[in-house]
Structures are given as C-alpha cells and as structure tokens.
PDB file of all heavy atoms in Angstrom:
ATOM      1  N   THR A   1      46.245  83.876  95.330  1.00  0.00           N
ATOM      2  CA  THR A   1      47.355  83.736  96.143  1.00  0.00           C
ATOM      3  C   THR A   1      47.935  82.261  95.781  1.00  0.00           C
ATOM      4  O   THR A   1      47.191  81.314  95.771  1.00  0.00           O
ATOM      5  CB  THR A   1      46.909  83.647  97.741  1.00  0.00           C
ATOM      6  OG1 THR A   1      46.370  84.936  97.940  1.00  0.00           O
ATOM      7  CG2 THR A   1      48.083  83.406  98.592  1.00  0.00           C
ATOM      8  N   ILE A   2      49.188  82.298  95.582  1.00  0.00           N
ATOM      9  CA  ILE A   2      50.005  81.087  95.227  1.00  0.00           C
ATOM     10  C   ILE A   2      51.140  80.912  96.215  1.00  0.00           C
ATOM     11  O   ILE A   2      51.542  81.909  96.684  1.00  0.00           O
ATOM     12  CB  ILE A   2      50.438  80.930  93.728  1.00  0.00           C
ATOM     13  CG1 ILE A   2      51.321  82.183  93.470  1.00  0.00           C
ATOM     14  CG2 ILE A   2      49.409  80.986  92.856  1.00  0.00           C
ATOM     15  CD1 ILE A   2      51.915  82.283  92.081  1.00  0.00           C
ATOM     16  N   THR A   3      51.406  79.633  96.492  1.00  0.00           N
ATOM     17  CA  THR A   3      52.634  79.327  97.316  1.00  0.00           C
ATOM     18  C   THR A   3      53.777  78.939  96.422  1.00  0.00           C
ATOM     19  O   THR A   3      53.572  78.056  95.547  1.00  0.00           O
ATOM     20  CB  THR A   3      52.253  78.239  98.380  1.00  0.00           C
ATOM     21  OG1 THR A   3      51.191  78.676  99.260  1.00  0.00           O
ATOM     22  CG2 THR A   3      53.477  77.824  99.199  1.00  0.00           C
ATOM     23  N   THR A   4      54.905  79.430  96.673  1.00  0.00           N
ATOM     24  CA  THR A   4      56.074  78.992  95.872  1.00  0.00           C
ATOM     25  C   THR A   4      56.547  77.666  96.213  1.00  0.00           C
ATOM     26  O   THR A   4      56.400  77.249  97.336  1.00  0.00           O
ATOM     27  CB  THR A   4      57.265  80.051  96.087  1.00  0.00           C
ATOM     28  OG1 THR A   4      57.535  80.062  97.446  1.00  0.00           O
ATOM     29  CG2 THR A   4      56.902  81.368  95.707  1.00  0.00           C
ATOM     30  N   THR A   5      57.003  76.802  95.305  1.00  0.00           N
ATOM     31  CA  THR A   5      57.318  75.501  95.528  1.00  0.00           C
ATOM     32  C   THR A   5      58.665  75.593  96.349  1.00  0.00           C
ATOM     33  O   THR A   5      58.917  74.728  97.256  1.00  0.00           O
ATOM     34  CB  THR A   5      57.602  74.699  94.292  1.00  0.00           C
ATOM     35  OG1 THR A   5      58.422  75.473  93.418  1.00  0.00           O
ATOM     36  CG2 THR A   5      56.284  74.429  93.701  1.00  0.00           C
ATOM     37  N   TYR A   6      59.527  76.554  96.062  1.00  0.00           N
ATOM     38  CA  TYR A   6      60.770  76.732  96.902  1.00  0.00           C
ATOM     39  C   TYR A   6      61.133  78.311  96.563  1.00  0.00           C
ATOM     40  O   TYR A   6      60.903  78.771  95.475  1.00  0.00           O
ATOM     41  CB  TYR A   6      61.938  75.759  96.609  1.00  0.00           C
ATOM     42  CG  TYR A   6      62.482  75.799  95.340  1.00  0.00           C
ATOM     43  CD1 TYR A   6      63.696  76.614  95.108  1.00  0.00           C
ATOM     44  CD2 TYR A   6      61.980  75.151  94.140  1.00  0.00           C
ATOM     45  CE1 TYR A   6      64.300  76.638  93.842  1.00  0.00           C
ATOM     46  CE2 TYR A   6      62.595  75.210  92.989  1.00  0.00           C
ATOM     47  CZ  TYR A   6      63.749  75.984  92.770  1.00  0.00           C
ATOM     48  OH  TYR A   6      64.376  75.916  91.511  1.00  0.00           O
ATOM     49  N   SER A   7      61.860  78.785  97.561  1.00  0.00           N
ATOM     50  CA  SER A   7      62.373  80.246  97.312  1.00  0.00           C
ATOM     51  C   SER A   7      63.166  80.284  96.087  1.00  0.00           C
ATOM     52  O   SER A   7      64.159  79.432  95.943  1.00  0.00           O
ATOM     53  CB  SER A   7      63.002  80.700  98.537  1.00  0.00           C
ATOM     54  OG  SER A   7      62.273  80.793  99.617  1.00  0.00           O
ATOM     55  N   GLY A   8      62.933  81.287  95.318  1.00  0.00           N
ATOM     56  CA  GLY A   8      63.776  81.465  94.009  1.00  0.00           C
ATOM     57  C   GLY A   8      63.419  80.615  92.898  1.00  0.00           C
ATOM     58  O   GLY A   8      64.110  80.640  91.928  1.00  0.00           O
ATOM     59  N   CYS A   9      62.238  79.968  93.094  1.00  0.00           N
ATOM     60  CA  CYS A   9      61.754  79.089  91.802  1.00  0.00           C
ATOM     61  C   CYS A   9      61.584  80.022  90.560  1.00  0.00           C
ATOM     62  O   CYS A   9      60.707  80.886  90.708  1.00  0.00           O
ATOM     63  CB  CYS A   9      60.582  78.331  92.209  1.00  0.00           C
ATOM     64  SG  CYS A   9      59.962  77.310  90.814  1.00  0.00           S
ATOM     65  N   PRO A  10      62.299  79.791  89.516  1.00  0.00           N
ATOM     66  CA  PRO A  10      62.125  80.675  88.314  1.00  0.00           C
ATOM     67  C   PRO A  10      60.780  80.607  87.568  1.00  0.00           C
ATOM     68  O   PRO A  10      60.423  81.491  86.977  1.00  0.00           O
ATOM     69  CB  PRO A  10      63.376  80.214  87.425  1.00  0.00           C
ATOM     70  CG  PRO A  10      63.602  78.887  87.744  1.00  0.00           C
ATOM     71  CD  PRO A  10      63.249  78.739  89.349  1.00  0.00           C
ATOM     72  N   ALA A  11      60.101  79.549  87.975  1.00  0.00           N
ATOM     73  CA  ALA A  11      58.793  79.290  87.241  1.00  0.00           C
ATOM     74  C   ALA A  11      57.729  80.237  87.859  1.00  0.00           C
ATOM     75  O   ALA A  11      56.583  80.535  87.179  1.00  0.00           O
ATOM     76  CB  ALA A  11      58.339  77.873  87.207  1.00  0.00           C
ATOM     77  N   MET A  12      57.890  80.775  89.044  1.00  0.00           N
ATOM     78  CA  MET A  12      56.833  81.516  89.763  1.00  0.00           C
ATOM     79  C   MET A  12      56.448  82.815  89.044  1.00  0.00           C
ATOM     80  O   MET A  12      55.191  83.111  88.961  1.00  0.00           O
ATOM     81  CB  MET A  12      57.188  81.807  91.221  1.00  0.00           C
ATOM     82  CG  MET A  12      57.357  80.489  92.038  1.00  0.00           C
ATOM     83  SD  MET A  12      56.026  79.313  91.877  1.00  0.00           S
ATOM     84  CE  MET A  12      54.708  80.125  92.743  1.00  0.00           C
ATOM     85  N   ASP A  13      57.347  83.466  88.459  1.00  0.00           N
ATOM     86  CA  ASP A  13      57.001  84.729  87.621  1.00  0.00           C
ATOM     87  C   ASP A  13      56.267  84.370  86.471  1.00  0.00           C
ATOM     88  O   ASP A  13      55.320  85.084  86.077  1.00  0.00           O
ATOM     89  CB  ASP A  13      58.266  85.486  87.282  1.00  0.00           C
ATOM     90  CG  ASP A  13      58.938  86.091  88.560  1.00  0.00           C
ATOM     91  OD1 ASP A  13      58.276  86.376  89.512  1.00  0.00           O
ATOM     92  OD2 ASP A  13      60.258  86.424  88.464  1.00  0.00           O
ATOM     93  N   VAL A  14      56.673  83.350  85.769  1.00  0.00           N
ATOM     94  CA  VAL A  14      55.897  82.868  84.546  1.00  0.00           C
ATOM     95  C   VAL A  14      54.425  82.455  84.953  1.00  0.00           C
ATOM     96  O   VAL A  14      53.441  82.757  84.297  1.00  0.00           O
ATOM     97  CB  VAL A  14      56.564  81.632  83.862  1.00  0.00           C
ATOM     98  CG1 VAL A  14      55.774  80.988  82.766  1.00  0.00           C
ATOM     99  CG2 VAL A  14      58.009  82.156  83.414  1.00  0.00           C
ATOM    100  N   ILE A  15      54.391  81.701  86.043  1.00  0.00           N
ATOM    101  CA  ILE A  15      53.015  81.261  86.561  1.00  0.00           C
ATOM    102  C   ILE A  15      52.116  82.419  86.907  1.00  0.00           C
ATOM    103  O   ILE A  15      51.008  82.577  86.485  1.00  0.00           O
ATOM    104  CB  ILE A  15      53.174  80.387  87.721  1.00  0.00           C
ATOM    105  CG1 ILE A  15      53.744  78.922  87.322  1.00  0.00           C
ATOM    106  CG2 ILE A  15      51.882  80.204  88.524  1.00  0.00           C
ATOM    107  CD1 ILE A  15      54.235  78.027  88.545  1.00  0.00           C
ATOM    108  N   GLY A  16      52.678  83.523  87.542  1.00  0.00           N
ATOM    109  CA  GLY A  16      51.952  84.760  87.809  1.00  0.00           C
ATOM    110  C   GLY A  16      51.464  85.442  86.458  1.00  0.00           C
ATOM    111  O   GLY A  16      50.317  85.795  86.356  1.00  0.00           O
ATOM    112  N   ASP A  17      52.436  85.485  85.496  1.00  0.00           N
ATOM    113  CA  ASP A  17      51.995  86.107  84.229  1.00  0.00           C
ATOM    114  C   ASP A  17      50.918  85.238  83.510  1.00  0.00           C
ATOM    115  O   ASP A  17      49.974  85.847  83.027  1.00  0.00           O
ATOM    116  CB  ASP A  17      53.233  86.125  83.354  1.00  0.00           C
ATOM    117  CG  ASP A  17      54.253  87.235  83.745  1.00  0.00           C
ATOM    118  OD1 ASP A  17      53.909  87.972  84.614  1.00  0.00           O
ATOM    119  OD2 ASP A  17      55.395  87.039  83.269  1.00  0.00           O
ATOM    120  N   GLU A  18      50.926  83.965  83.620  1.00  0.00           N
ATOM    121  CA  GLU A  18      49.859  83.121  83.000  1.00  0.00           C
ATOM    122  C   GLU A  18      48.553  83.207  83.788  1.00  0.00           C
ATOM    123  O   GLU A  18      47.591  83.247  83.030  1.00  0.00           O
ATOM    124  CB  GLU A  18      50.433  81.751  82.929  1.00  0.00           C
ATOM    125  CG  GLU A  18      51.552  81.560  81.953  1.00  0.00           C
ATOM    126  CD  GLU A  18      51.930  80.080  81.701  1.00  0.00           C
ATOM    127  OE1 GLU A  18      51.245  79.175  82.042  1.00  0.00           O
ATOM    128  OE2 GLU A  18      53.093  79.942  81.251  1.00  0.00           O
ATOM    129  N   ILE A  19      48.668  83.329  85.052  1.00  0.00           N
ATOM    130  CA  ILE A  19      47.386  83.616  85.886  1.00  0.00           C
ATOM    131  C   ILE A  19      46.709  84.968  85.328  1.00  0.00           C
ATOM    132  O   ILE A  19      45.496  84.865  85.087  1.00  0.00           O
ATOM    133  CB  ILE A  19      47.689  83.582  87.309  1.00  0.00           C
ATOM    134  CG1 ILE A  19      48.020  82.177  87.803  1.00  0.00           C
ATOM    135  CG2 ILE A  19      46.607  84.325  88.142  1.00  0.00           C
ATOM    136  CD1 ILE A  19      48.526  82.225  89.344  1.00  0.00           C
ATOM    137  N   ARG A  20      47.473  85.993  85.242  1.00  0.00           N
ATOM    138  CA  ARG A  20      46.930  87.219  84.780  1.00  0.00           C
ATOM    139  C   ARG A  20      46.429  87.189  83.390  1.00  0.00           C
ATOM    140  O   ARG A  20      45.294  87.734  83.046  1.00  0.00           O
ATOM    141  CB  ARG A  20      48.054  88.400  84.972  1.00  0.00           C
ATOM    142  CG  ARG A  20      48.351  88.822  86.319  1.00  0.00           C
ATOM    143  CD  ARG A  20      49.341  89.909  86.423  1.00  0.00           C
ATOM    144  NE  ARG A  20      50.744  89.457  86.372  1.00  0.00           N
ATOM    145  CZ  ARG A  20      51.415  89.009  87.408  1.00  0.00           C
ATOM    146  NH1 ARG A  20      50.749  88.907  88.672  1.00  0.00           N
ATOM    147  NH2 ARG A  20      52.598  88.589  87.291  1.00  0.00           N
ATOM    148  N   GLN A  21      47.105  86.459  82.485  1.00  0.00           N
ATOM    149  CA  GLN A  21      46.705  86.388  81.107  1.00  0.00           C
ATOM    150  C   GLN A  21      45.404  85.541  81.005  1.00  0.00           C
ATOM    151  O   GLN A  21      44.378  86.021  80.349  1.00  0.00           O
ATOM    152  CB  GLN A  21      47.719  85.683  80.283  1.00  0.00           C
ATOM    153  CG  GLN A  21      47.412  85.547  78.959  1.00  0.00           C
ATOM    154  CD  GLN A  21      48.484  84.792  78.056  1.00  0.00           C
ATOM    155  OE1 GLN A  21      49.551  84.467  78.500  1.00  0.00           O
ATOM    156  NE2 GLN A  21      48.118  84.517  76.823  1.00  0.00           N
ATOM    157  N   VAL A  22      45.264  84.460  81.676  1.00  0.00           N
ATOM    158  CA  VAL A  22      44.069  83.674  81.710  1.00  0.00           C
ATOM    159  C   VAL A  22      42.840  84.536  82.213  1.00  0.00           C
ATOM    160  O   VAL A  22      41.749  84.453  81.593  1.00  0.00           O
ATOM    161  CB  VAL A  22      44.241  82.336  82.376  1.00  0.00           C
ATOM    162  CG1 VAL A  22      42.836  81.702  82.726  1.00  0.00           C
ATOM    163  CG2 VAL A  22      45.052  81.408  81.586  1.00  0.00           C
ATOM    164  N   LEU A  23      43.130  85.169  83.443  1.00  0.00           N
ATOM    165  CA  LEU A  23      41.942  85.919  83.956  1.00  0.00           C
ATOM    166  C   LEU A  23      41.550  87.201  82.959  1.00  0.00           C
ATOM    167  O   LEU A  23      40.288  87.382  82.867  1.00  0.00           O
ATOM    168  CB  LEU A  23      42.257  86.233  85.335  1.00  0.00           C
ATOM    169  CG  LEU A  23      42.269  85.089  86.271  1.00  0.00           C
ATOM    170  CD1 LEU A  23      42.528  85.535  87.736  1.00  0.00           C
ATOM    171  CD2 LEU A  23      41.030  84.225  86.199  1.00  0.00           C
ATOM    172  N   ARG A  24      42.542  87.849  82.561  1.00  0.00           N
ATOM    173  CA  ARG A  24      42.301  88.988  81.675  1.00  0.00           C
ATOM    174  C   ARG A  24      41.607  88.414  80.443  1.00  0.00           C
ATOM    175  O   ARG A  24      40.575  89.218  79.865  1.00  0.00           O
ATOM    176  CB  ARG A  24      43.515  89.762  81.262  1.00  0.00           C
ATOM    177  CG  ARG A  24      44.079  90.535  82.527  1.00  0.00           C
ATOM    178  CD  ARG A  24      45.196  91.333  82.165  1.00  0.00           C
ATOM    179  NE  ARG A  24      45.599  92.015  83.377  1.00  0.00           N
ATOM    180  CZ  ARG A  24      46.849  92.223  83.813  1.00  0.00           C
ATOM    181  NH1 ARG A  24      47.841  91.631  83.206  1.00  0.00           N
ATOM    182  NH2 ARG A  24      47.105  92.828  84.908  1.00  0.00           N
ATOM    183  N   GLN A  25      41.897  87.442  79.762  1.00  0.00           N
ATOM    184  CA  GLN A  25      41.176  86.892  78.601  1.00  0.00           C
ATOM    185  C   GLN A  25      39.737  86.594  78.915  1.00  0.00           C
ATOM    186  O   GLN A  25      38.858  86.570  78.037  1.00  0.00           O
ATOM    187  CB  GLN A  25      41.918  85.631  77.990  1.00  0.00           C
ATOM    188  CG  GLN A  25      43.138  85.933  77.287  1.00  0.00           C
ATOM    189  CD  GLN A  25      43.932  84.804  76.892  1.00  0.00           C
ATOM    190  OE1 GLN A  25      43.762  83.626  77.298  1.00  0.00           O
ATOM    191  NE2 GLN A  25      44.921  85.077  76.011  1.00  0.00           N
ATOM    192  N   ALA A  26      39.449  86.223  80.244  1.00  0.00           N
ATOM    193  CA  ALA A  26      38.053  85.883  80.633  1.00  0.00           C
ATOM    194  C   ALA A  26      37.373  87.149  81.047  1.00  0.00           C
ATOM    195  O   ALA A  26      36.252  87.065  81.509  1.00  0.00           O
ATOM    196  CB  ALA A  26      38.200  84.928  81.879  1.00  0.00           C
ATOM    197  N   GLY A  27      37.912  88.278  80.809  1.00  0.00           N
ATOM    198  CA  GLY A  27      37.285  89.621  81.090  1.00  0.00           C
ATOM    199  C   GLY A  27      37.533  90.304  82.492  1.00  0.00           C
ATOM    200  O   GLY A  27      36.970  91.220  82.826  1.00  0.00           O
ATOM    201  N   TYR A  28      38.604  89.758  83.252  1.00  0.00           N
ATOM    202  CA  TYR A  28      38.961  90.401  84.571  1.00  0.00           C
ATOM    203  C   TYR A  28      40.081  91.251  84.354  1.00  0.00           C
ATOM    204  O   TYR A  28      41.240  90.836  84.054  1.00  0.00           O
ATOM    205  CB  TYR A  28      39.216  89.255  85.542  1.00  0.00           C
ATOM    206  CG  TYR A  28      38.003  88.439  85.808  1.00  0.00           C
ATOM    207  CD1 TYR A  28      37.806  87.171  85.154  1.00  0.00           C
ATOM    208  CD2 TYR A  28      36.993  88.682  86.728  1.00  0.00           C
ATOM    209  CE1 TYR A  28      36.700  86.378  85.567  1.00  0.00           C
ATOM    210  CE2 TYR A  28      35.980  88.000  86.987  1.00  0.00           C
ATOM    211  CZ  TYR A  28      35.787  86.806  86.427  1.00  0.00           C
ATOM    212  OH  TYR A  28      34.660  85.988  86.648  1.00  0.00           O
ATOM    213  N   ALA A  29      39.838  92.472  84.290  1.00  0.00           N
ATOM    214  CA  ALA A  29      40.959  93.467  84.069  1.00  0.00           C
ATOM    215  C   ALA A  29      41.901  93.715  85.232  1.00  0.00           C
ATOM    216  O   ALA A  29      43.127  94.022  85.070  1.00  0.00           O
ATOM    217  CB  ALA A  29      40.370  94.766  83.548  1.00  0.00           C
ATOM    218  N   ASN A  30      41.390  93.753  86.410  1.00  0.00           N
ATOM    219  CA  ASN A  30      42.137  94.001  87.592  1.00  0.00           C
ATOM    220  C   ASN A  30      42.558  92.725  88.424  1.00  0.00           C
ATOM    221  O   ASN A  30      41.723  92.233  89.189  1.00  0.00           O
ATOM    222  CB  ASN A  30      41.338  94.884  88.596  1.00  0.00           C
ATOM    223  CG  ASN A  30      42.080  95.494  89.735  1.00  0.00           C
ATOM    224  OD1 ASN A  30      43.248  95.154  89.924  1.00  0.00           O
ATOM    225  ND2 ASN A  30      41.483  96.441  90.456  1.00  0.00           N
ATOM    226  N   VAL A  31      43.781  92.175  88.052  1.00  0.00           N
ATOM    227  CA  VAL A  31      44.116  90.960  88.597  1.00  0.00           C
ATOM    228  C   VAL A  31      45.441  91.042  89.412  1.00  0.00           C
ATOM    229  O   VAL A  31      46.358  91.693  88.858  1.00  0.00           O
ATOM    230  CB  VAL A  31      44.363  89.832  87.649  1.00  0.00           C
ATOM    231  CG1 VAL A  31      44.890  88.470  88.133  1.00  0.00           C
ATOM    232  CG2 VAL A  31      43.020  89.623  86.800  1.00  0.00           C
ATOM    233  N   MET A  32      45.471  90.678  90.621  1.00  0.00           N
ATOM    234  CA  MET A  32      46.735  90.773  91.501  1.00  0.00           C
ATOM    235  C   MET A  32      47.197  89.323  91.912  1.00  0.00           C
ATOM    236  O   MET A  32      46.192  88.577  92.319  1.00  0.00           O
ATOM    237  CB  MET A  32      46.485  91.547  92.783  1.00  0.00           C
ATOM    238  CG  MET A  32      47.686  91.787  93.461  1.00  0.00           C
ATOM    239  SD  MET A  32      47.548  93.036  94.820  1.00  0.00           S
ATOM    240  CE  MET A  32      47.224  91.949  96.220  1.00  0.00           C
ATOM    241  N   VAL A  33      48.358  89.002  91.826  1.00  0.00           N
ATOM    242  CA  VAL A  33      48.928  87.657  92.164  1.00  0.00           C
ATOM    243  C   VAL A  33      49.704  87.879  93.326  1.00  0.00           C
ATOM    244  O   VAL A  33      50.754  88.562  93.265  1.00  0.00           O
ATOM    245  CB  VAL A  33      49.565  86.937  90.999  1.00  0.00           C
ATOM    246  CG1 VAL A  33      50.151  85.623  91.422  1.00  0.00           C
ATOM    247  CG2 VAL A  33      48.629  86.762  89.849  1.00  0.00           C
ATOM    248  N   LYS A  34      49.410  87.305  94.375  1.00  0.00           N
ATOM    249  CA  LYS A  34      50.358  87.218  95.607  1.00  0.00           C
ATOM    250  C   LYS A  34      51.004  85.959  95.812  1.00  0.00           C
ATOM    251  O   LYS A  34      50.533  84.831  95.594  1.00  0.00           O
ATOM    252  CB  LYS A  34      49.440  87.475  96.856  1.00  0.00           C
ATOM    253  CG  LYS A  34      48.777  88.832  96.916  1.00  0.00           C
ATOM    254  CD  LYS A  34      47.978  89.144  98.258  1.00  0.00           C
ATOM    255  CE  LYS A  34      47.575  87.963  99.033  1.00  0.00           C
ATOM    256  NZ  LYS A  34      46.718  88.443 100.183  1.00  0.00           N
ATOM    257  N   GLN A  35      52.292  86.103  96.208  1.00  0.00           N
ATOM    258  CA  GLN A  35      53.073  84.837  96.513  1.00  0.00           C
ATOM    259  C   GLN A  35      53.155  84.781  97.948  1.00  0.00           C
ATOM    260  O   GLN A  35      53.692  85.719  98.607  1.00  0.00           O
ATOM    261  CB  GLN A  35      54.488  84.923  95.876  1.00  0.00           C
ATOM    262  CG  GLN A  35      54.415  84.794  94.284  1.00  0.00           C
ATOM    263  CD  GLN A  35      55.755  84.670  93.638  1.00  0.00           C
ATOM    264  OE1 GLN A  35      56.804  84.466  94.279  1.00  0.00           O
ATOM    265  NE2 GLN A  35      55.931  84.968  92.404  1.00  0.00           N
ATOM    266  N   GLN A  36      52.888  83.559  98.452  1.00  0.00           N
ATOM    267  CA  GLN A  36      52.779  83.367  99.953  1.00  0.00           C
ATOM    268  C   GLN A  36      53.925  82.322 100.364  1.00  0.00           C
ATOM    269  O   GLN A  36      54.057  81.290  99.585  1.00  0.00           O
ATOM    270  CB  GLN A  36      51.472  82.801 100.244  1.00  0.00           C
ATOM    271  CG  GLN A  36      51.222  82.181 101.617  1.00  0.00           C
ATOM    272  CD  GLN A  36      49.798  81.637 101.638  1.00  0.00           C
ATOM    273  OE1 GLN A  36      48.852  82.479 101.683  1.00  0.00           O
ATOM    274  NE2 GLN A  36      49.755  80.248 101.824  1.00  0.00           N
ATOM    275  N   LEU A  37      54.706  82.638 101.301  1.00  0.00           N
ATOM    276  CA  LEU A  37      55.813  81.853 101.538  1.00  0.00           C
ATOM    277  C   LEU A  37      55.498  80.835 102.805  1.00  0.00           C
ATOM    278  O   LEU A  37      56.189  79.784 102.987  1.00  0.00           O
ATOM    279  CB  LEU A  37      57.088  82.599 102.037  1.00  0.00           C
ATOM    280  CG  LEU A  37      57.618  83.503 100.898  1.00  0.00           C
ATOM    281  CD1 LEU A  37      58.862  84.297 101.396  1.00  0.00           C
ATOM    282  CD2 LEU A  37      58.009  82.609  99.776  1.00  0.00           C
ATOM    283  N   ALA A  38      54.435  81.220 103.569  1.00  0.00           N
ATOM    284  CA  ALA A  38      54.193  80.418 104.733  1.00  0.00           C
ATOM    285  C   ALA A  38      52.589  80.267 104.679  1.00  0.00           C
ATOM    286  O   ALA A  38      51.894  81.030 104.431  1.00  0.00           O
ATOM    287  CB  ALA A  38      54.533  81.038 106.022  1.00  0.00           C
ATOM    288  N   PRO A  39      52.223  78.876 104.869  1.00  0.00           N
ATOM    289  CA  PRO A  39      52.945  77.750 105.333  1.00  0.00           C
ATOM    290  C   PRO A  39      53.866  77.306 104.032  1.00  0.00           C
ATOM    291  O   PRO A  39      53.255  77.642 102.919  1.00  0.00           O
ATOM    292  CB  PRO A  39      52.043  76.656 105.602  1.00  0.00           C
ATOM    293  CG  PRO A  39      50.763  77.064 104.966  1.00  0.00           C
ATOM    294  CD  PRO A  39      50.712  78.587 104.944  1.00  0.00           C
ATOM    295  N   ALA A  40      54.921  76.760 104.208  1.00  0.00           N
ATOM    296  CA  ALA A  40      55.800  76.363 103.205  1.00  0.00           C
ATOM    297  C   ALA A  40      55.062  75.233 102.318  1.00  0.00           C
ATOM    298  O   ALA A  40      54.458  74.286 102.911  1.00  0.00           O
ATOM    299  CB  ALA A  40      57.107  75.905 103.678  1.00  0.00           C
ATOM    300  N   TRP A  41      55.269  75.254 100.983  1.00  0.00           N
ATOM    301  CA  TRP A  41      54.774  74.330 100.120  1.00  0.00           C
ATOM    302  C   TRP A  41      55.453  72.990 100.442  1.00  0.00           C
ATOM    303  O   TRP A  41      56.628  72.861 100.850  1.00  0.00           O
ATOM    304  CB  TRP A  41      54.983  74.679  98.654  1.00  0.00           C
ATOM    305  CG  TRP A  41      54.407  73.591  97.713  1.00  0.00           C
ATOM    306  CD1 TRP A  41      53.217  73.464  97.218  1.00  0.00           C
ATOM    307  CD2 TRP A  41      55.244  72.614  97.095  1.00  0.00           C
ATOM    308  NE1 TRP A  41      53.056  72.431  96.362  1.00  0.00           N
ATOM    309  CE2 TRP A  41      54.367  71.856  96.243  1.00  0.00           C
ATOM    310  CE3 TRP A  41      56.485  72.293  97.027  1.00  0.00           C
ATOM    311  CZ2 TRP A  41      54.758  70.813  95.485  1.00  0.00           C
ATOM    312  CZ3 TRP A  41      56.973  71.203  96.277  1.00  0.00           C
ATOM    313  CH2 TRP A  41      56.063  70.531  95.414  1.00  0.00           C
ATOM    314  N   THR A  42      54.693  71.898 100.286  1.00  0.00           N
ATOM    315  CA  THR A  42      55.184  70.561 100.442  1.00  0.00           C
ATOM    316  C   THR A  42      54.549  69.666  99.357  1.00  0.00           C
ATOM    317  O   THR A  42      53.639  69.892  98.872  1.00  0.00           O
ATOM    318  CB  THR A  42      54.954  69.985 101.848  1.00  0.00           C
ATOM    319  OG1 THR A  42      55.108  68.603 101.865  1.00  0.00           O
ATOM    320  CG2 THR A  42      53.426  70.107 102.210  1.00  0.00           C
ATOM    321  N   THR A  43      55.341  68.641  99.002  1.00  0.00           N
ATOM    322  CA  THR A  43      54.893  67.724  97.986  1.00  0.00           C
ATOM    323  C   THR A  43      53.702  66.885  98.422  1.00  0.00           C
ATOM    324  O   THR A  43      53.067  66.368  97.665  1.00  0.00           O
ATOM    325  CB  THR A  43      56.058  66.759  97.597  1.00  0.00           C
ATOM    326  OG1 THR A  43      56.566  66.136  98.689  1.00  0.00           O
ATOM    327  CG2 THR A  43      57.215  67.394  96.812  1.00  0.00           C
ATOM    328  N   ASP A  44      53.383  67.084  99.834  1.00  0.00           N
ATOM    329  CA  ASP A  44      52.141  66.335 100.215  1.00  0.00           C
ATOM    330  C   ASP A  44      50.944  67.081  99.528  1.00  0.00           C
ATOM    331  O   ASP A  44      49.947  66.413  99.468  1.00  0.00           O
ATOM    332  CB  ASP A  44      51.930  66.571 101.722  1.00  0.00           C
ATOM    333  CG  ASP A  44      53.125  65.900 102.501  1.00  0.00           C
ATOM    334  OD1 ASP A  44      53.814  65.139 102.070  1.00  0.00           O
ATOM    335  OD2 ASP A  44      53.230  66.166 103.779  1.00  0.00           O
TER     336      ASP A  44
END
C-alpha cells in the first residue's frame, strides 16, 4: 500500500510498476499495489 503524493501524480504508476518488478525479481509472483488516498500524504 502506497499513498499518492498528490492526486494525479504521474510518477505513481511508474512507482507501482517498479514495486512489482523488484518483488518479482525477488521471487514473489503475486504482487498487488494499492494506492491509498487517505490519510493524505504530507511532506511531514
């Protein structure tokens, strides 16, 4: 589960793909990436 930095951030799809790639290379075939909007991400 990842939180988007802001709605519509174009990097989130790339990040999801990279998460799946890293975990598949480590032998995890069944990987799901969920994007969570709340609580909203903050620079904190």
Side-chain angles (χ1 to χ4, degrees):
T1 304
I2 55 177
T3 297
T4 59
T5 52
Y6 68 92
S7 292
C9 176
M12 297 313 292
D13 290 335
V14 173
I15 289 170
D17 291 343
E18 289 183 20
I19 287 170
R20 284 185 278 280
Q21 180 180 354
V22 163
L23 294 181
R24 286 185 179 134
Q25 287 175 345
Y28 298 96
N30 187 357
V31 177
M32 184 172 94
V33 178
K34 295 186 334 187
Q35 290 187 20
Q36 168 180 294
L37 297 177
W41 179 83
T42 168
T43 50
D44 295 351

